[in-house]
Amino acid sequence: QVQLVESGGGLVQAGGSLRLSCAASGLTVINGAMGWFRQAPGKEREFVAYILWSGGKTYYEDSVKGRFTISRDKDKNTVYLQMNSLKPEDTAAYYCASSILGGSVNPGVYDRWGQGTQVTVSS
């Protein structure tokens, strides 16, 4: 059974950094794309970034461009989200997801999801 397990969340002051990891187990090859989404209390889940697994092309939501970097380690079946210059508005539960159809900002395209990891940025 394929599982996505996130880690790396925590509490950080504004301006600080965190690196999230998402390890995919139960499969040896990932096709399509891996993405990161986030959801703050009372808000809808929103797209953060995705990476195409084979070619490594990336795409970011405008508010995180220049601050967040998505990357992957194909040997470890792991995707990362390096988050720098964090702001209080980045506070949310962060979820990784996989899609066999390719990258998209639409969460409905992704067929597998992790359990989420909480990121809290204090002002």
Side-chain angles (χ1 to χ4, degrees):
Q1 182 177 358
V2 176
Q3 284 190 316
L4 302 178
V5 180
E6 302 100 333
S7 61
L11 173 64
V12 64
Q13 289 188 330
S17 298
L18 284 173
R19 188 177 82 153
L20 306 183
S21 300
C22 174
S25 62
L27 51 80
T28 56
V29 177
I30 296 176
N31 294 311
M34 295 287 288
W36 286 97
F37 289 76
R38 64 187 180 186
Q39 187 168 19
K43 295 188 177 182
E44 293 185 352
R45 190 167 297 189
E46 66 174 6
F47 167 78
V48 176
Y50 72 69
I51 185 166
L52 300 184
W53 199 254
S54 61
K57 180 181 178 180
T58 59
Y59 186 80
Y60 298 91
E61 192 270 331
D62 285 345
S63 70
V64 307
K65 285 180 181 177
R67 300 190 299 122
F68 291 10
T69 302
I70 188 171
S71 62
R72 88 277 195 241
D73 184 326
K74 298 175 76 173
D75 291 336
K76 295 182 178 180
N77 273 0
T78 298
V79 64
Y80 304 97
L81 185 68
Q82 178 66 43
M83 305 185 294
N84 299 328
S85 302
L86 282 162
K87 305 175 181 180
E89 51 263 44
D90 295 318
T91 295
Y94 282 71
Y95 299 87
C96 72
S98 65
S99 166
I100 61 174
L101 300 177
S104 176
V105 303
N106 179 1
V109 172
Y110 296 80
D111 55 304
R112 300 193 184 277
W113 292 82
Q115 82 289 350
T117 185
Q118 180 66 35
V119 171
T120 303
V121 184
S122 64
S123 58

